[in-house]
Coordinates of all heavy atoms in Angstrom, one line a residue:
M3 N -6.9 -11.8 10.1 CA -6.6 -10.7 9.2 C -6.3 -11.2 7.8 O -5.7 -12.2 7.6 CB -5.4 -9.9 9.7 CG -5.6 -9.1 10.9 SD -4.4 -7.8 11.1 CE -4.1 -7.8 12.8
T4 N -6.6 -10.4 6.9 CA -6.3 -10.6 5.5 C -5.2 -9.8 5.0 O -5.1 -8.6 5.2 CB -7.6 -10.4 4.6 OG1 -8.6 -11.1 5.1 CG2 -7.3 -10.6 3.1
A5 N -4.2 -10.4 4.3 CA -3.1 -9.6 3.7 C -3.4 -9.2 2.3 O -4.0 -10.0 1.5 CB -1.8 -10.5 3.7
V6 N -3.1 -8.0 2.0 CA -3.2 -7.5 0.6 C -1.9 -6.8 0.3 O -1.1 -6.4 1.2 CB -4.4 -6.5 0.4 CG1 -5.7 -7.1 0.7 CG2 -4.2 -5.2 1.2
F7 N -1.6 -6.8 -1.0 CA -0.4 -6.1 -1.5 C -0.8 -4.9 -2.3 O -1.7 -5.0 -3.1 CB 0.5 -7.0 -2.4 CG 1.1 -8.1 -1.6 CD1 0.5 -9.3 -1.4 CD2 2.4 -7.9 -1.0 CE1 1.1 -10.3 -0.6 CE2 3.0 -8.9 -0.2 CZ 2.3 -10.1 -0.1
V8 N -0.3 -3.7 -2.0 CA -0.7 -2.5 -2.7 C 0.6 -1.9 -3.3 O 1.6 -1.7 -2.7 CB -1.3 -1.4 -1.7 CG1 -1.7 -0.2 -2.4 CG2 -2.4 -2.0 -0.9
Q9 N 0.5 -1.7 -4.6 CA 1.5 -1.0 -5.4 C 1.1 0.5 -5.6 O 0.0 0.8 -5.8 CB 1.7 -1.7 -6.7 CG 2.2 -3.1 -6.6 CD 2.5 -3.8 -7.9 OE1 3.4 -3.4 -8.6 NE2 1.6 -4.7 -8.3
F10 N 2.1 1.3 -5.5 CA 1.9 2.8 -5.6 C 2.8 3.3 -6.7 O 4.0 3.1 -6.8 CB 2.4 3.5 -4.3 CG 1.6 3.0 -3.1 CD1 2.0 1.9 -2.3 CD2 0.5 3.7 -2.7 CE1 1.4 1.5 -1.2 CE2 -0.2 3.3 -1.5 CZ 0.2 2.2 -0.8
R11 N 2.1 4.1 -7.6 CA 2.9 4.9 -8.6 C 2.8 6.3 -8.0 O 1.8 6.8 -7.7 CB 2.2 4.9 -9.9 CG 3.0 5.6 -11.0 CD 2.3 5.5 -12.4 NE 2.3 4.1 -12.8 CZ 1.4 3.7 -13.7 NH1 0.5 4.5 -14.2 NH2 1.4 2.4 -14.0
C12 N 4.0 6.9 -8.0 CA 4.2 8.2 -7.3 C 4.5 9.3 -8.4 O 5.0 9.0 -9.5 CB 5.3 8.2 -6.3 SG 5.1 6.9 -5.1
T13 N 4.2 10.5 -8.0 CA 4.6 11.7 -8.8 C 6.1 11.6 -8.9 O 6.8 11.4 -7.9 CB 4.1 13.0 -8.1 OG1 2.7 13.0 -7.9 CG2 4.5 14.2 -8.9
P14 N 6.6 11.9 -10.1 CA 8.1 11.8 -10.3 C 8.8 12.7 -9.3 O 8.4 13.9 -9.0 CB 8.3 12.4 -11.7 CG 7.1 11.9 -12.4 CD 6.0 12.1 -11.4
G15 N 9.8 12.2 -8.6 CA 10.5 12.9 -7.6 C 10.0 12.9 -6.2 O 10.5 13.5 -5.3
K16 N 8.8 12.2 -6.0 CA 8.1 12.3 -4.7 C 8.1 10.9 -4.0 O 7.5 10.7 -3.0 CB 6.7 12.7 -4.9 CG 6.6 14.1 -5.4 CD 7.1 15.1 -4.4 CE 6.9 16.6 -4.9 NZ 7.4 17.5 -4.0
T17 N 8.8 9.9 -4.6 CA 8.7 8.5 -4.1 C 9.1 8.5 -2.6 O 8.5 7.8 -1.8 CB 9.5 7.6 -5.0 OG1 9.0 7.6 -6.3 CG2 9.4 6.1 -4.4
Y18 N 10.2 9.1 -2.3 CA 10.7 9.0 -0.9 C 9.8 9.7 0.1 O 9.5 9.2 1.2 CB 12.1 9.6 -0.8 CG 13.2 8.6 -1.4 CD1 13.6 8.7 -2.7 CD2 13.7 7.6 -0.6 CE1 14.5 7.8 -3.2 CE2 14.6 6.7 -1.1 CZ 15.0 6.8 -2.4 OH 15.9 5.9 -2.9
E19 N 9.2 10.8 -0.4 CA 8.2 11.5 0.5 C 7.0 10.6 0.7 O 6.4 10.6 1.8 CB 7.8 12.8 -0.1 CG 8.9 13.9 -0.1 CD 8.5 15.1 -0.9 OE1 7.3 15.5 -0.8 OE2 9.3 15.8 -1.5
V20 N 6.5 10.0 -0.4 CA 5.3 9.1 -0.3 C 5.7 7.9 0.7 O 4.9 7.6 1.5 CB 4.9 8.6 -1.6 CG1 3.8 7.5 -1.5 CG2 4.3 9.8 -2.5
A21 N 6.8 7.3 0.5 CA 7.3 6.2 1.3 C 7.3 6.6 2.8 O 6.8 5.8 3.6 CB 8.6 5.7 0.8
D22 N 7.9 7.8 3.1 CA 7.9 8.2 4.5 C 6.5 8.4 5.0 O 6.2 8.0 6.2 CB 8.7 9.5 4.6 CG 10.2 9.4 4.4 OD1 10.7 8.2 4.5 OD2 10.8 10.4 4.1
A23 N 5.6 9.0 4.2 CA 4.2 9.2 4.7 C 3.5 7.9 4.9 O 2.8 7.7 5.9 CB 3.5 10.1 3.7
I24 N 3.7 6.9 4.0 CA 3.1 5.6 4.2 C 3.6 5.0 5.5 O 2.8 4.5 6.3 CB 3.4 4.7 3.0 CG1 2.6 5.2 1.8 CG2 3.0 3.2 3.3 CD1 3.1 4.5 0.5
Y25 N 4.9 5.0 5.7 CA 5.5 4.3 6.8 C 5.1 5.0 8.1 O 4.8 4.3 9.1 CB 7.0 4.4 6.7 CG 7.7 3.5 7.7 CD1 7.7 2.1 7.6 CD2 8.4 4.1 8.8 CE1 8.4 1.4 8.5 CE2 9.1 3.3 9.7 CZ 9.0 1.9 9.6 OH 9.7 1.2 10.5
D26 N 4.9 6.3 8.1 CA 4.5 7.1 9.3 C 3.1 6.7 9.8 O 2.8 6.9 10.9 CB 4.6 8.6 9.1 CG 6.0 9.1 9.0 OD1 6.9 8.4 9.5 OD2 6.2 10.2 8.5
R27 N 2.3 6.3 8.9 CA 0.9 5.9 9.2 C 0.8 4.6 10.0 O -0.3 4.3 10.5 CB 0.0 5.9 8.0 CG 0.0 7.3 7.3 CD -1.3 7.7 6.9 NE -1.3 9.0 6.3 CZ -2.2 9.5 5.5 NH1 -3.2 8.7 5.1 NH2 -2.1 10.7 5.0
E28 N 1.8 3.8 10.0 CA 1.9 2.6 10.7 C 0.8 1.6 10.4 O 0.2 0.9 11.3 CB 1.9 2.8 12.2 CG 3.1 3.6 12.6 CD 3.2 3.9 14.1 OE1 2.3 3.5 14.9 OE2 4.2 4.5 14.6
V29 N 0.4 1.5 9.1 CA -0.6 0.5 8.7 C -0.1 -0.6 7.8 O -0.8 -1.5 7.4 CB -1.8 1.2 8.0 CG1 -2.6 2.1 9.0 CG2 -1.4 2.0 6.8
V30 N 1.2 -0.4 7.4 CA 1.8 -1.4 6.5 C 2.8 -2.3 7.3 O 3.4 -1.8 8.2 CB 2.5 -0.8 5.3 CG1 1.6 0.0 4.5 CG2 3.7 0.0 5.6
S31 N 2.9 -3.6 7.0 CA 3.8 -4.4 7.7 C 5.2 -4.4 7.0 O 6.2 -4.6 7.6 CB 3.3 -5.8 7.8 OG 3.2 -6.5 6.6
E32 N 5.2 -4.2 5.6 CA 6.4 -4.2 4.9 C 6.2 -3.1 3.8 O 5.1 -3.0 3.2 CB 6.8 -5.5 4.3 CG 7.0 -6.6 5.3 CD 7.2 -8.0 4.8 OE1 8.2 -8.1 4.0 OE2 6.4 -8.8 5.0
L33 N 7.3 -2.5 3.4 CA 7.3 -1.5 2.3 C 8.6 -1.5 1.6 O 9.6 -1.5 2.2 CB 7.0 -0.1 2.9 CG 7.0 1.1 1.9 CD1 5.8 0.9 1.0 CD2 6.9 2.4 2.7
F34 N 8.5 -1.7 0.2 CA 9.7 -1.8 -0.6 C 9.6 -0.9 -1.8 O 8.5 -0.6 -2.3 CB 9.8 -3.2 -1.2 CG 9.9 -4.3 -0.1 CD1 8.8 -4.9 0.4 CD2 11.1 -4.7 0.3 CE1 8.9 -5.9 1.3 CE2 11.3 -5.7 1.3 CZ 10.1 -6.3 1.8
S35 N 10.7 -0.4 -2.2 CA 10.8 0.3 -3.5 C 10.9 -0.8 -4.6 O 11.5 -1.9 -4.3 CB 12.0 1.3 -3.6 OG 13.2 0.6 -3.4
T36 N 10.4 -0.5 -5.8 CA 10.4 -1.5 -6.8 C 10.8 -0.9 -8.2 O 10.8 0.4 -8.3 CB 9.0 -2.1 -7.0 OG1 8.0 -1.1 -7.3 CG2 8.5 -2.8 -5.7
S37 N 11.1 -1.7 -9.1 CA 11.3 -1.2 -10.5 C 10.0 -1.6 -11.3 O 9.2 -2.3 -10.8 CB 12.5 -1.9 -11.1 OG 12.3 -3.3 -11.1
G38 N 9.9 -1.0 -12.4 CA 8.8 -1.2 -13.3 C 7.8 -0.1 -13.3 O 8.1 1.0 -13.0
E39 N 6.5 -0.5 -13.5 CA 5.4 0.5 -13.6 C 5.1 1.2 -12.3 O 4.5 2.3 -12.3 CB 4.2 -0.2 -14.2 CG 4.3 -0.6 -15.6 CD 3.0 -1.1 -16.1 OE1 1.9 -0.5 -15.8 OE2 3.0 -2.1 -16.8
Y40 N 5.3 0.6 -11.2 CA 5.0 1.1 -9.9 C 6.3 1.4 -9.1 O 7.3 0.7 -9.3 CB 4.1 0.2 -9.1 CG 2.7 0.2 -9.7 CD1 2.4 -0.6 -10.8 CD2 1.7 1.1 -9.3 CE1 1.1 -0.6 -11.4 CE2 0.5 1.1 -9.9 CZ 0.2 0.2 -10.9 OH -1.1 0.3 -11.5
D41 N 6.3 2.3 -8.2 CA 7.5 2.7 -7.5 C 7.6 2.1 -6.1 O 8.8 1.9 -5.6 CB 7.4 4.3 -7.2 CG 7.3 5.0 -8.6 OD1 8.2 4.8 -9.4 OD2 6.3 5.7 -8.7
L42 N 6.5 1.7 -5.5 CA 6.5 1.1 -4.1 C 5.5 0.0 -4.1 O 4.6 -0.1 -4.8 CB 6.1 2.2 -3.1 CG 6.9 3.4 -3.0 CD1 6.2 4.5 -2.1 CD2 8.3 3.1 -2.4
I43 N 5.8 -1.0 -3.2 CA 4.9 -2.0 -2.9 C 4.8 -2.2 -1.4 O 5.8 -2.2 -0.7 CB 5.2 -3.4 -3.6 CG1 4.0 -4.4 -3.5 CG2 6.5 -3.9 -3.2 CD1 4.1 -5.6 -4.4
A44 N 3.6 -2.4 -0.9 CA 3.4 -2.5 0.6 C 2.6 -3.8 0.9 O 1.6 -4.1 0.1 CB 2.7 -1.3 1.2
K45 N 2.9 -4.4 1.9 CA 2.0 -5.5 2.4 C 1.2 -4.9 3.6 O 1.8 -4.4 4.5 CB 2.9 -6.7 2.9 CG 2.1 -7.9 3.4 CD 3.1 -9.0 3.8 CE 2.3 -10.3 4.1 NZ 3.3 -11.3 4.5
V46 N -0.1 -5.1 3.5 CA -1.0 -4.5 4.4 C -1.9 -5.6 5.0 O -2.5 -6.3 4.2 CB -1.9 -3.4 3.8 CG1 -2.8 -2.7 4.8 CG2 -1.0 -2.3 3.1
Y47 N -2.0 -5.7 6.3 CA -3.0 -6.6 6.9 C -4.3 -5.8 7.2 O -4.2 -4.8 7.9 CB -2.4 -7.2 8.2 CG -1.4 -8.2 7.9 CD1 0.0 -7.9 7.9 CD2 -1.7 -9.5 7.5 CE1 1.0 -8.8 7.6 CE2 -0.8 -10.5 7.2 CZ 0.6 -10.1 7.3 OH 1.5 -11.1 7.0
I48 N -5.4 -6.3 6.6 CA -6.7 -5.6 6.8 C -7.3 -6.2 8.1 O -7.4 -7.4 8.2 CB -7.6 -5.9 5.6 CG1 -6.9 -5.5 4.3 CG2 -8.9 -5.1 5.8 CD1 -6.5 -4.0 4.2
P49 N -7.7 -5.4 9.1 CA -8.3 -5.9 10.3 C -9.6 -6.7 10.0 O -10.3 -6.3 9.0 CB -8.6 -4.6 11.1 CG -7.6 -3.6 10.6 CD -7.5 -3.9 9.1
E50 N -9.8 -7.7 10.8 CA -11.0 -8.5 10.6 C -12.3 -7.7 10.6 O -12.4 -6.8 11.5 CB -11.1 -9.6 11.7 CG -12.0 -10.7 11.5 CD -11.6 -11.6 10.3 OE1 -10.4 -11.8 10.2 OE2 -12.4 -12.0 9.6
G51 N -13.2 -7.9 9.7 CA -14.4 -7.2 9.6 C -14.4 -5.8 8.9 O -15.4 -5.2 8.7
Q52 N -13.2 -5.4 8.5 CA -13.1 -4.1 7.8 C -13.2 -4.4 6.3 O -12.8 -5.3 5.7 CB -11.7 -3.5 8.0 CG -11.5 -3.0 9.4 CD -12.1 -1.6 9.6 OE1 -12.2 -0.9 8.7 NE2 -12.4 -1.3 10.8
D53 N -13.9 -3.4 5.6 CA -13.9 -3.4 4.2 C -12.6 -3.0 3.6 O -12.0 -1.9 4.0 CB -15.0 -2.4 3.7 CG -15.1 -2.3 2.2 OD1 -15.7 -3.2 1.6 OD2 -14.6 -1.3 1.7
V54 N -12.0 -3.8 2.7 CA -10.7 -3.5 2.2 C -10.6 -2.2 1.5 O -9.7 -1.4 1.8 CB -10.3 -4.7 1.2 CG1 -8.9 -4.3 0.5 CG2 -10.2 -6.0 1.9
G55 N -11.5 -1.9 0.6 CA -11.5 -0.6 -0.1 C -11.5 0.6 0.8 O -10.8 1.6 0.7
H56 N -12.5 0.5 1.8 CA -12.6 1.6 2.7 C -11.4 1.8 3.6 O -10.9 2.9 3.8 CB -13.9 1.4 3.6 CG -14.2 2.6 4.4 ND1 -13.7 2.7 5.7 CD2 -15.0 3.7 4.2 CE1 -14.1 3.9 6.2 NE2 -14.9 4.5 5.3
Y57 N -10.9 0.7 4.1 CA -9.7 0.7 5.0 C -8.5 1.4 4.2 O -7.9 2.2 4.8 CB -9.4 -0.7 5.4 CG -8.2 -0.7 6.4 CD1 -8.4 -0.4 7.7 CD2 -6.9 -1.0 6.0 CE1 -7.3 -0.4 8.6 CE2 -5.9 -1.0 6.8 CZ -6.1 -0.7 8.2 OH -5.0 -0.7 9.0
L58 N -8.3 0.9 3.0 CA -7.1 1.4 2.3 C -7.3 2.9 1.9 O -6.4 3.7 2.0 CB -6.9 0.6 1.0 CG -6.4 -0.8 1.3 CD1 -6.3 -1.6 0.0 CD2 -5.0 -0.8 2.0
S59 N -8.5 3.2 1.5 CA -8.8 4.6 1.1 C -8.6 5.6 2.3 O -8.1 6.6 2.1 CB -10.3 4.7 0.6 OG -10.4 4.1 -0.7
S60 N -9.1 5.2 3.4 CA -9.1 6.1 4.6 C -7.7 6.0 5.2 O -7.3 7.0 5.9 CB -10.1 5.7 5.6 OG -10.0 4.4 6.1
S61 N -6.9 5.0 5.0 CA -5.6 4.9 5.7 C -4.4 5.3 4.9 O -3.4 5.8 5.4 CB -5.4 3.4 6.1 OG -6.4 2.9 6.9
L62 N -4.5 5.2 3.5 CA -3.3 5.4 2.7 C -3.5 6.3 1.5 O -2.7 7.0 1.1 CB -2.8 4.0 2.2 CG -2.2 3.1 3.3 CD1 -1.9 1.8 2.7 CD2 -0.9 3.8 3.9
F63 N -4.7 6.1 0.8 CA -4.8 6.7 -0.5 C -5.0 8.2 -0.6 O -5.0 8.7 -1.7 CB -6.0 6.0 -1.2 CG -5.7 4.5 -1.5 CD1 -6.8 3.7 -2.0 CD2 -4.5 3.9 -1.4 CE1 -6.6 2.4 -2.2 CE2 -4.3 2.6 -1.7 CZ -5.3 1.8 -2.1
D64 N -5.0 8.9 0.6 CA -5.1 10.3 0.6 C -3.7 11.0 0.7 O -3.6 12.2 0.8 CB -6.0 10.8 1.7 CG -5.5 10.4 3.1 OD1 -4.7 9.5 3.2 OD2 -5.9 11.1 4.0
I65 N -2.7 10.2 0.6 CA -1.3 10.7 0.8 C -1.0 11.5 -0.5 O -1.1 11.0 -1.6 CB -0.3 9.6 1.0 CG1 -0.6 9.0 2.4 CG2 1.1 10.1 0.9 CD1 0.2 7.8 2.7
P66 N -0.5 12.8 -0.4 CA -0.1 13.5 -1.6 C 1.0 12.9 -2.3 O 1.9 12.3 -1.6 CB 0.3 14.9 -1.0 CG -0.4 15.0 0.4 CD -0.4 13.5 0.9
G67 N 1.0 12.9 -3.6 CA 2.1 12.3 -4.4 C 1.8 10.9 -4.9 O 2.5 10.4 -5.7
I68 N 0.7 10.3 -4.5 CA 0.3 9.1 -5.1 C -0.6 9.3 -6.3 O -1.6 10.0 -6.3 CB -0.6 8.2 -4.1 CG1 0.3 7.8 -2.9 CG2 -1.1 7.0 -4.8 CD1 -0.5 7.2 -1.8
V69 N -0.1 8.8 -7.4 CA -0.8 9.0 -8.7 C -1.8 7.9 -9.0 O -2.9 8.1 -9.5 CB 0.3 9.1 -9.9 CG1 -0.4 9.2 -11.2 CG2 1.2 10.3 -9.6
R70 N -1.3 6.6 -8.7 CA -2.2 5.5 -9.0 C -1.8 4.3 -8.0 O -0.7 4.3 -7.6 CB -1.9 5.0 -10.4 CG -2.8 3.9 -10.9 CD -2.6 3.7 -12.4 NE -3.6 2.6 -12.7 CZ -3.9 2.4 -14.0 NH1 -3.4 3.1 -14.9 NH2 -4.8 1.5 -14.2
T71 N -2.8 3.5 -7.8 CA -2.5 2.3 -6.9 C -3.0 1.0 -7.6 O -3.9 1.1 -8.5 CB -3.2 2.4 -5.6 OG1 -4.6 2.5 -5.7 CG2 -2.7 3.6 -4.8
L72 N -2.5 -0.1 -7.2 CA -2.9 -1.4 -7.7 C -3.0 -2.3 -6.5 O -1.9 -2.5 -5.8 CB -2.0 -2.0 -8.8 CG -2.3 -3.4 -9.2 CD1 -3.7 -3.4 -10.0 CD2 -1.2 -3.9 -10.1
T73 N -4.1 -2.8 -6.1 CA -4.3 -3.7 -4.9 C -4.5 -5.1 -5.4 O -5.3 -5.4 -6.2 CB -5.5 -3.2 -4.1 OG1 -5.2 -1.8 -3.7 CG2 -5.6 -4.1 -2.8
T74 N -3.7 -6.0 -4.8 CA -3.8 -7.4 -5.1 C -4.3 -8.1 -3.8 O -3.6 -8.0 -2.8 CB -2.4 -8.0 -5.5 OG1 -2.0 -7.3 -6.7 CG2 -2.6 -9.5 -5.8
M75 N -5.4 -8.8 -3.9 CA -6.0 -9.5 -2.8 C -5.3 -10.8 -2.6 O -4.8 -11.4 -3.6 CB -7.5 -9.7 -3.0 CG -8.3 -8.5 -3.2 SD -8.5 -7.5 -1.8 CE -9.5 -8.6 -0.8
T76 N -5.2 -11.4 -1.4 CA -4.6 -12.7 -1.2 C -5.7 -13.6 -0.6 O -6.6 -13.1 0.0 CB -3.4 -12.6 -0.3 OG1 -3.8 -12.2 1.0 CG2 -2.3 -11.7 -0.8
F77 N -5.5 -14.9 -0.8 CA -6.4 -15.9 -0.3 C -5.9 -16.9 0.6 O -6.4 -17.3 1.6 CB -7.1 -16.6 -1.5 CG -7.8 -15.6 -2.4 CD1 -7.3 -15.2 -3.6 CD2 -9.0 -15.0 -2.0 CE1 -7.9 -14.3 -4.4 CE2 -9.6 -14.0 -2.8 CZ -9.1 -13.7 -4.0
K78 N -4.7 -17.4 0.3 CA -4.1 -18.5 1.1 C -2.6 -18.4 1.1 O -2.0 -18.2 0.0 CB -4.5 -19.9 0.6 CG -4.0 -21.0 1.4 CD -4.4 -22.3 0.8 CE -3.8 -23.5 1.6 NZ -4.3 -24.8 1.1
A79 N -1.9 -18.5 2.2 CA -0.5 -18.5 2.3 C 0.0 -19.9 2.3 O -0.6 -20.8 2.9 CB 0.0 -17.8 3.6
F80 N 1.1 -20.2 1.6 CA 1.6 -21.5 1.5 C 2.9 -21.6 2.2 O 3.6 -20.7 2.4 CB 1.9 -21.9 0.0 CG 0.6 -22.0 -0.8 CD1 0.1 -21.0 -1.5 CD2 -0.1 -23.2 -0.8 CE1 -1.1 -21.1 -2.2 CE2 -1.3 -23.3 -1.5 CZ -1.8 -22.3 -2.2

Protein backbone atom coordinates (compact mmCIF):
# COMPACT_ATOMS: atom_id res chain seq x y z
CA MET A 1 0.00 0.00 0.00
CA THR A 2 1.03 3.56 -0.65
CA ALA A 3 0.51 6.25 1.98
CA VAL A 4 -0.66 9.72 0.99
CA PHE A 5 -1.43 12.73 3.13
CA VAL A 6 -4.54 14.72 2.29
CA GLN A 7 -5.20 18.19 3.66
CA PHE A 8 -8.76 19.51 3.71
CA ARG A 9 -9.98 23.11 3.74
CA CYS A 10 -13.52 23.19 5.04
CA THR A 11 -16.42 25.60 4.81
CA PRO A 12 -16.19 27.87 7.88
CA GLY A 13 -18.00 26.29 10.80
CA LYS A 14 -18.16 22.84 9.18
CA THR A 15 -14.78 21.37 10.16
CA TYR A 16 -16.15 19.04 12.82
CA GLU A 17 -18.93 17.79 10.52
CA VAL A 18 -16.39 17.13 7.76
CA ALA A 19 -14.06 15.36 10.22
CA ASP A 20 -16.91 13.13 11.43
CA ALA A 21 -17.88 12.28 7.85
CA ILE A 22 -14.27 11.46 6.90
CA TYR A 23 -13.84 9.28 9.97
CA ASP A 24 -17.15 7.48 9.35
CA ARG A 25 -15.98 6.34 5.90
CA GLU A 26 -13.20 4.28 7.50
CA VAL A 27 -10.63 5.00 4.76
CA VAL A 28 -8.16 7.11 6.75
CA SER A 29 -5.67 5.69 9.23
CA GLU A 30 -5.14 9.00 11.05
CA LEU A 31 -7.01 12.31 11.05
CA PHE A 32 -5.87 15.54 12.73
CA SER A 33 -7.08 19.11 12.98
CA THR A 34 -4.41 21.59 11.93
CA SER A 35 -3.61 25.28 11.96
CA GLY A 36 -2.79 27.28 8.86
CA GLU A 37 -4.35 27.22 5.40
CA TYR A 38 -6.02 23.82 5.85
CA ASP A 39 -8.26 22.62 8.66
CA LEU A 40 -7.64 18.85 8.64
CA ILE A 41 -4.95 16.43 7.55
CA ALA A 42 -5.45 12.71 7.00
CA LYS A 43 -3.11 9.82 6.34
CA VAL A 44 -4.64 7.49 3.78
CA TYR A 45 -3.30 4.15 2.59
CA ILE A 46 -4.16 3.56 -1.05
CA PRO A 47 -4.85 -0.12 -1.81
CA GLU A 48 -2.42 -1.81 -4.18
CA GLY A 49 -3.40 -1.37 -7.82
CA GLN A 50 -5.80 1.52 -7.16
CA ASP A 51 -5.48 4.86 -8.91
CA VAL A 52 -4.80 7.47 -6.21
CA GLY A 53 -6.98 10.19 -7.71
CA HIS A 54 -9.91 7.91 -8.38
CA TYR A 55 -9.70 6.29 -4.95
CA LEU A 56 -9.64 9.61 -3.11
CA SER A 57 -12.34 11.16 -5.30
CA SER A 58 -14.72 8.27 -4.82
CA SER A 59 -13.90 7.74 -1.12
CA LEU A 60 -13.59 11.22 0.34
CA PHE A 61 -13.88 14.20 -1.95
CA ASP A 62 -17.68 14.14 -2.26
CA ILE A 63 -18.18 15.00 1.41
CA PRO A 64 -20.22 18.20 1.82
CA GLY A 65 -18.26 21.04 3.39
CA ILE A 66 -14.93 20.35 1.72
CA VAL A 67 -13.82 23.46 -0.13
CA ARG A 68 -10.34 22.40 -1.27
CA THR A 69 -7.88 19.56 -0.85
CA LEU A 70 -4.13 19.13 -1.17
CA THR A 71 -2.73 15.63 -1.62
CA THR A 72 0.91 14.84 -0.91
CA MET A 73 2.27 11.60 -2.36
CA THR A 74 4.86 9.61 -0.41
CA PHE A 75 7.68 7.45 -1.70
CA LYS A 76 9.76 5.99 1.11
CA ALA A 77 9.41 5.76 4.89
CA PHE A 78 12.55 6.26 6.98
